Amino acid sequence: MVPIEQEENNMDFNFNDQQIAIRDSVSKICADFGEDYWLQRDSDGKFPVEFLDAITAGGWLGIAMPEEYGGAGLGIVEAAILSHTITRSGAGFSGASAVHLNLFGPHPIVVFGTNEQKQRFLPRLIAGKDRACFGVTEPDAGLNTARLSTKATRDGDHYVLNGRKMWTSTAQTANKILIIARTTPFEECEKPMDGLSLFYTDLDRSKIEVRLIDKMGRKAVDSNALFIDDLIVPVEDRIGAEGDGWKCLLHGLNPERILIAAESVGLGQAALERAANYARERIVFDRPIGKNQAIQHPLAVNWMELEAAHLMAFKAAALYDNGQSCGAEANAAKYLAAEAALSACQRAVLTHGGMGYAKEFHVERYLREIMIAVIAPVSQEMIKSFIAEKVLGQAKSY
Amino acid sequence: MKILVTAKRVVDANVNVRVLSDNSGVDINNVKMAVNPFDEIAIEEAVRIREAGNAEEVVVASIGPTQCKEQIRTALALGADRGIFVETDADIQPLAVAKLLKALVDKENPDLIILGKQAIDGDNIQTGQMLAALAGLPQATFASEILLADGEATVTREIDGGMETITVKTPAVITADLRLNEPRYASLPNIMKAKKKSIDTYTPEELGVDVTPRLTTLKVEPPSDRQAGVIVADVEELVDKLKNEAKVI
């Protein structure tokens, strides 16, 4: 093959050497955690500590953190390659979510933290000495984040936090929490998103009750309801200025969507691979079932949809890393990837027929896990409203 | 001490390759490529020797199209210090590889050369042996253990009858077998460091080597599908079947 000369204006859909090395190295780690490991975790619900330790030992948690704090200083493209490789290996969201929060979750600290805060927080996160969880969503606010009601009241050199949080993942084992709370009552704010402040602080279990939510899938990575009762947070744990919490958090939202998109595509591809293998090998009426177009055509469509979503995810990632606006693309990637992967996981179960319903064939687990990406971190409906309003200039519908 | 290792670009071991419809070869378009697993073992061994303080530098070479730099980067991320890339789009056969490596040996004067015992694509098992002959160096192939002391390498070899231990004077050519070690995974910090390591590029012409193919591939065919076996009741039936049906004894 004659290598194509790279000109400056060429569109390049290939990963560079370093990105390929990242993918290959991560997939080797993942290969040590096979389908039985994840099937076990789905049944016993134990956090995949061994997997997270292997990822941490390779320095992977620092992929998107600044080099001066021990990270690799790479972008969302590389973080998305990492996340995609994890789900693609069959680890699914049980694997990806165990790692995910550490990749771009601490981004507000990177962007808005003081040097002292970065030095205090980031190296410990990269080394796996601290594990952080996220306290944003609340039971009575949902997607209407302006209505967050957890209160932070200033008292001298500290704040006192009270309220409830919902769907906080990994809080069973985390020792740190990135939490957003109201420092100014909603009624007194000029704009609805004002008056919120962001804190990164110790998860003090004497002041925070962490209650496990039993859920549909991803049993190994816990999700929780938090009840916060007079949590004392020192002022030096506030990230950014008081009242700027939402602005700080906003910085992490597009990367979050891009990562979820890449993870969804990976899981969809893992499901599709199982379906294609089964369709080739399963003999009924003396021929492989994949010889029937009713079996093979839907799988072909799944492949096309997943590839398209994958391209959108990496387009959004490249825009973000180039400092360009990527809101529409990041949201579109999340939407397309979730749809494509849901369809692929469903089709994988159907292709397996009765065996698709059996846990030992793994695809039913994928189907339960992919629902996370359909629902979170933002619903498919909100994305349609966003695109209609922001890209197509339609009137706001909600 | 300086060690020269190789990183051949091959189809990843987990990929099921398909034969091209015109039987001219296997389809490697859009197929995942990797460092030849036996070369990876050779690289790992060299890096361990350096980490144990018995070598100062590990140089890794790869030969082929420009994408081979991926495999050099991987080797650098695994701990090699410097890369040499011999760029060519020609069909490079074992003799040409051995000649090119001989030219690099002349240039670099390594004290030890460790290669994979074979590459998992061609499975020729020729390069190491031919390199030793061309360079006039002792060889120890199929190594499962290497001990270095006083200008000598004591090598345990995996041979048909079991294990054999031989001692060769260095510089020498050693080829790595599967059980020599278990290669590490590249960590992210080491992948980042690899980016800053240098890779020198040569062409076969610059090295004065004629790489014209000497062998012609007539036809490539997939192995025939395996038939289902039968379970025999006892040894007598087995012997009977081997004798009268399979006619192998």
Side-chain angles (χ1 to χ4, degrees):
Chain A
M1 199 174 98
V2 182
I4 300 159
E5 289 292 324
Q6 294 297 340
E7 284 172 32
E8 216 167 301
N9 295 323
N10 263 1
M11 287 192 82
D12 188 356
F13 290 92
N14 295 312
F15 290 139
N16 63 33
D17 293 355
Q18 182 173 289
Q19 290 160 345
I20 289 169
I22 287 170
R23 184 198 62 195
D24 290 352
S25 200
V26 173
S27 67
K28 284 187 178 175
I29 296 175
C30 293
D32 288 339
F33 299 86
E35 54 188 33
D36 293 338
Y37 178 82
W38 297 109
L39 182 62
Q40 267 291 312
R41 295 293 80 74
D42 186 56
S43 120
D44 64 22
K46 285 187 189 149
F47 191 83
V49 183
E50 304 83 3
F51 175 73
L52 182 56
D53 284 351
I55 292 285
T56 308
W60 296 102
L61 296 185
I63 194 163
M65 307 265 201
E67 285 179 271
E68 59 265 46
Y69 300 104
L74 297 171
I76 182 75
V77 168
E78 286 78 13
I81 291 172
L82 168 65
S83 297
H84 172 261
T85 305
I86 291 173
T87 53
R88 178 70 184 84
S89 76
F93 279 90
S94 300
S97 301
V99 174
H100 177 110
L101 272 186
N102 297 290
L103 299 181
F104 263 83
H107 207 55
I109 305 174
V110 173
V111 180
F112 298 99
T114 63
N115 287 339
E116 181 274 328
Q117 287 176 324
K118 288 189 235 187
Q119 192 56 55
R120 187 150 55 100
F121 298 140
L122 299 181
R124 292 183 58 84
L125 275 169
I126 297 169
K129 288 180 188 154
D130 280 342
R131 282 177 33 198
C133 63
F134 247 52
V136 179
T137 308
E138 293 184 7
D140 299 326
L143 291 163
N144 190 0
T145 324
R147 291 298 176 145
L148 291 173
S149 62
T150 295
K151 259 196 331 202
T153 314
R154 178 81 182 248
D155 181 8
D157 61 353
H158 62 267
Y159 291 86
V160 181
L161 268 66
N162 279 287
R164 289 165 69 192
K165 292 288 173 184
M166 193 69 178
W167 295 114
T168 298
S169 290
T170 71
Q172 293 291 332
T173 48
N175 65 324
K176 288 277 181 183
I177 183 166
L178 188 74
I179 187 167
I180 191 162
R182 274 221 163 271
T183 36
T184 309
F186 184 71
E187 301 74 37
E188 293 172 25
C189 293
E190 236 173 78
K191 287 186 251 157
M193 290 314 202
D194 285 353
L196 294 163
S197 299
L198 192 65
F199 306 92
Y200 180 74
T201 193
D202 292 336
L203 198 161
D204 178 355
R205 284 170 202 276
S206 69
K207 300 293 167 61
I208 302 180
E209 188 195 339
V210 179
R211 209 178 283 174
L212 186 73
I213 303 170
D214 199 10
K215 58 194 189 304
M216 179 179 182
R218 207 195 67 186
K219 194 175 175 185
V221 180
D222 51 285
S223 295
N224 306 279
L226 305 189
F227 300 83
I228 304 153
D229 210 0
D230 287 340
L231 175 72
I232 308 288
V233 178
V235 172
E236 58 262 33
D237 286 356
R238 191 190 66 225
I239 307 297
E242 188 174 293
D244 277 353
W246 181 247
K247 199 181 87 191
C248 297
L249 210 55
L250 211 54
H251 254 259
L253 290 189
N254 286 328
E256 164 88 1
R257 270 149 224 208
I258 294 167
L259 285 186
I260 288 275
E263 288 163 6
S264 303
V265 170
L267 185 55
Q269 288 169 333
L272 178 60
E273 184 179 24
R274 286 190 178 276
N277 288 343
Y278 193 80
R280 260 197 314 275
E281 286 160 15
R282 170 71 169 160
I283 309 286
V284 180
F285 297 115
D286 300 323
R287 54 200 226 137
I289 58 170
K291 206 170 175 186
N292 301 302
Q293 291 185 344
I295 299 288
Q296 61 170 241
H297 281 183
L299 299 181
V301 173
N302 288 144
W303 183 86
M304 294 187 272
E305 290 173 349
L306 287 166
E307 287 297 307
H310 204 192
L311 286 175
M312 183 58 94
F314 278 96
K315 180 181 177 184
L319 287 172
Y320 182 88
D321 285 345
N322 285 330
Q324 289 167 277
S325 132
C326 70
E329 289 80 4
N331 277 285
K334 186 286 194 188
Y335 177 92
L336 294 171
E339 294 293 319
L342 173 62
S343 174
C345 290
Q346 244 169 351
R347 185 48 60 182
V349 171
L350 293 172
T351 304
H352 281 73
M355 300 324 282
Y357 208 61
K359 296 211 169 194
E360 63 173 294
F361 280 76
H362 305 286
V363 285
E364 66 80 37
R365 181 172 84 249
Y366 297 170
L367 180 58
R368 284 184 286 115
E369 286 195 350
I370 197 61
M371 287 309 294
I372 297 168
V374 179
I375 299 166
V378 57
S379 73
Q380 302 290 76
E381 290 69 28
M382 283 300 277
I383 291 178
K384 287 185 239 184
S385 296
F386 175 85
I387 298 291
E389 185 192 336
K390 304 287 182 194
V391 181
L392 303 175
Q394 303 302 306
K396 186 169 175 170
S397 59
Y398 56 94
Chain B
M1 187 159 106
K2 187 199 278 187
I3 307 177
L4 178 67
V5 293
T6 48
K8 184 177 182 184
R9 178 181 172 87
V10 299
V11 173
D12 186 271
N14 296 314
V15 172
N16 276 322
V17 289
R18 296 197 187 131
V19 172
L20 290 166
S21 54
D22 64 358
N23 294 102
S24 63
V26 293
D27 188 1
I28 56 164
N29 275 319
N30 297 319
V31 164
K32 191 180 170 200
M33 305 297 279
V35 174
N36 173 34
F38 291 107
D39 283 344
E40 224 179 322
I41 295 170
I43 295 160
E44 174 69 29
E45 193 67 14
V47 172
R48 286 187 193 187
I49 291 170
R50 193 203 54 210
E51 285 171 349
N54 294 325
E56 288 76 46
E57 192 183 29
V58 177
V59 182
V60 58
S62 192
I63 302 166
T66 184
Q67 296 91 332
C68 290
K69 279 195 209 154
E70 286 169 23
Q71 279 63 48
I72 295 180
R73 287 280 169 221
T74 301
L76 296 175
L78 290 170
D81 300 290
R82 176 159 69 82
I84 299 178
F85 172 44
V86 181
E87 186 166 17
T88 170
D89 289 321
D91 168 29
I92 299 290
Q93 297 179 344
L95 180 61
V97 176
K99 286 180 178 172
L100 290 168
L101 291 178
K102 154 82 166 59
L104 295 182
V105 168
D106 291 344
K107 231 181 214 327
E108 294 283 338
N109 290 313
D111 303 281
L112 200 59
I113 301 124
I114 314 181
L115 324 176
K117 67 164 178 169
Q118 69 195 83
I120 61 163
D121 49 1
D123 277 334
N124 290 298
I125 323 187
Q126 296 174 345
T127 302
Q129 291 87 335
M130 292 199 290
L131 169 62
L134 289 172
L137 296 174
Q139 58 177 293
T141 51
F142 315 122
S144 64
E145 195 183 6
I146 302 173
L147 296 170
L148 296 171
D150 311 323
E152 284 182 345
T154 303
V155 178
T156 306
R157 306 179 61 227
E158 299 202 352
I159 57 171
D160 286 347
M163 302 291 205
E164 180 189 56
T165 303
I166 63 169
T167 301
V168 291
K169 285 211 159 36
T170 56
V173 177
I174 298 176
T175 71
D177 212 323
L178 190 65
R179 279 156 289 269
L180 182 58
N181 59 51
E182 209 172 301
R184 71 194 69 187
Y185 305 150
S187 71
L188 180 58
N190 286 337
I191 290 174
M192 300 302 292
K193 275 185 219 149
K195 216 167 102 180
K196 293 176 188 121
K197 295 177 179 173
S198 71
I199 300 178
D200 294 328
T201 303
Y202 300 101
T203 60
E205 295 73 43
E206 283 166 357
L207 295 172
V209 175
D210 172 16
V211 295
T212 313
R214 311 291 170 101
L215 308 168
T216 313
T217 302
L218 300 180
K219 199 176 177 189
V220 175
E221 282 185 340
S224 53
D225 283 339
R226 282 177 61 172
Q227 303 294 318
V230 287
I231 294 174
V232 294
D234 48 32
V235 176
E236 269 167 46
E237 193 190 340
L238 175 65
V239 172
D240 178 66
K241 278 185 183 295
L242 289 174
K243 228 178 215 162
N244 302 317
E245 274 182 42
K247 297 189 198 306
V248 291
I249 52 173

